[in-house]
Amino acid sequence: RRPEETRNGDLRTGVVANAPGSAYMQQGRTKIIATVYGPRPVVDRGQTSAEGSLLLDFSFAPFASRYESREGNEKRTLLYGSVLQRALESIVNLERYAKLALDVSVHVLEDDGSVLTAALAAASLALADAKVEMRDLAAGASVHMVPGAAANGGPLLLLDCEGEEERSLPEGCAVLHLGLCPAQGTVCLLHSGGPIPAEPFEQMVLLAKETAEKIGAEMRRGVEERELRRSAKRARKAQRAEGRRISSGDGAALGEAEDGGIEGAAAEQESPALGDAFA
């Protein structure tokens, strides 16, 4: 894999049957599932904000990584949850959900790098699957910088590192996580770790932005295909219901016709001269 090449991935929506919205995101061996429930009335009577609430539950499965300690995962849970919360609040039209709450759950099943940006994409897809009003979808990418490792002696940029690559990076490296709203061209998430000089920072942003745009296009296509399948399913249900209604109506009409025929025959037998009166 080239330094500026992403890993193979997979994204799906509607993966949890009883959730209004859900999505599965896989990037390399990183696997994340997100669900959305609501909107529901806010229980907190003290809330006076005109906007709705987005409640995020971000977590790592106990078996997500064998290299991270429990304390390390707890720290990352708090950090990533806080960053994701702000990013998701910036893309959801919360003013349309006054005094309502949206419950978003993001669960990391396997952690093999780029968790933060993959979680952003999964949560965004789940919100879109739940038909939550949003300003745009959100996609992201993570870029690491290794100082002095390029052939020309400059910084080497590594896109979408897997877990083993992250653990093997030398001291003094830095990482940039970027979340992008592709249709609007706006940044919804920006988080970095380690010292990044101005010039490499700009290069990292451009690389992450280009990658996020490509991922965003795949996400949008997946949402559109999901909506087409939903529309086709609704059309099939409507056709079946109409077919049953027509069949039921034909049966009733046939029964009435048969009853009318019997009654007519009886009337002819009782009053044979009735037909002659209208001749």
Side-chain angles (χ1 to χ4, degrees):
R1 192 160 65 95
R2 297 189 303 273
E4 299 180 2
E5 182 181 354
T6 60
R7 295 170 289 173
N8 292 331
D10 180 30
L11 52 90
R12 283 174 274 165
T13 56
V15 294
V16 179
N18 64 342
S22 60
Y24 170 80
M25 180 78 177
Q26 180 173 345
Q27 199 159 333
R29 288 190 295 272
T30 294
K31 302 179 180 69
I32 298 173
I33 191 164
T35 55
V36 173
Y37 292 90
R40 59 172 176 79
V42 176
V43 177
D44 185 6
R45 296 179 181 273
Q47 181 176 352
T48 58
S49 173
E51 292 189 346
S53 302
L54 188 148
L55 308 177
L56 175 66
D57 178 26
F58 179 84
S59 61
F60 287 88
F63 48 82
S65 174
R66 56 180 175 170
Y67 298 100
E68 285 288 343
S69 65
R70 180 178 177 181
E71 292 76 13
N73 273 341
E74 288 177 351
K75 289 181 180 179
R76 288 201 303 158
T77 295
L78 292 174
L79 174 62
Y80 286 5
S82 174
V83 174
L84 279 174
Q85 176 85 33
R86 293 193 297 271
L88 295 175
E89 286 177 343
S90 73
I91 65 173
V92 174
N93 291 324
L94 290 175
E95 62 273 12
R96 301 292 183 91
Y97 298 95
K99 298 182 180 179
L100 297 173
L102 295 163
D103 296 294
V104 182
S105 172
V106 179
H107 193 54
V108 182
L109 301 173
E110 188 169 352
D111 173 11
D112 192 42
S114 298
V115 164
L116 181 58
T117 49
L120 174 66
S124 171
L125 273 176
L127 286 164
D129 188 50
K131 298 186 179 301
V132 173
E133 291 195 37
M134 303 165 63
R135 296 178 177 86
D136 197 0
L137 290 171
S142 298
V143 182
H144 285 77
M145 182 198 71
V146 186
N152 61 0
L156 176 65
L157 303 187
L158 301 174
L159 177 64
D160 187 26
C161 286
E162 60 184 25
E164 185 61 35
E165 292 170 337
E166 290 181 351
R167 289 185 291 273
S168 64
L169 291 174
E171 292 289 335
C173 293
V175 61
L176 174 76
H177 307 287
L178 182 137
L180 180 75
C181 296
Q184 293 190 333
T186 57
V187 173
C188 63
L189 183 154
L190 188 63
H191 178 73
S192 64
I196 308 177
E199 186 176 348
F201 177 81
E202 183 178 351
Q203 296 172 352
M204 295 168 78
V205 168
L206 290 174
L207 178 57
K209 180 176 181 291
E210 179 183 347
T211 304
E213 287 173 346
K214 294 177 181 178
I215 295 173
E218 291 295 324
M219 291 170 60
R220 187 166 297 279
R221 182 161 62 247
V223 170
E224 290 172 352
E225 290 176 354
R226 165 77 165 162
E227 186 56 36
L228 287 174
R229 290 195 298 271
R230 279 176 165 171
S231 298
K233 185 176 180 180
R234 287 194 295 267
R236 288 194 299 270
K237 283 185 176 179
Q239 287 176 353
R240 286 196 294 267
E242 182 66 14
R244 287 193 295 268
R245 188 188 68 79
I246 292 173
S247 298
S248 176
D250 289 346
L254 180 61
E256 291 175 1
E258 290 176 349
D259 292 344
I262 293 171
E263 291 173 358
E268 288 179 359
Q269 290 174 359
E270 292 173 1
S271 305
L274 187 59
D276 295 338
F278 292 90

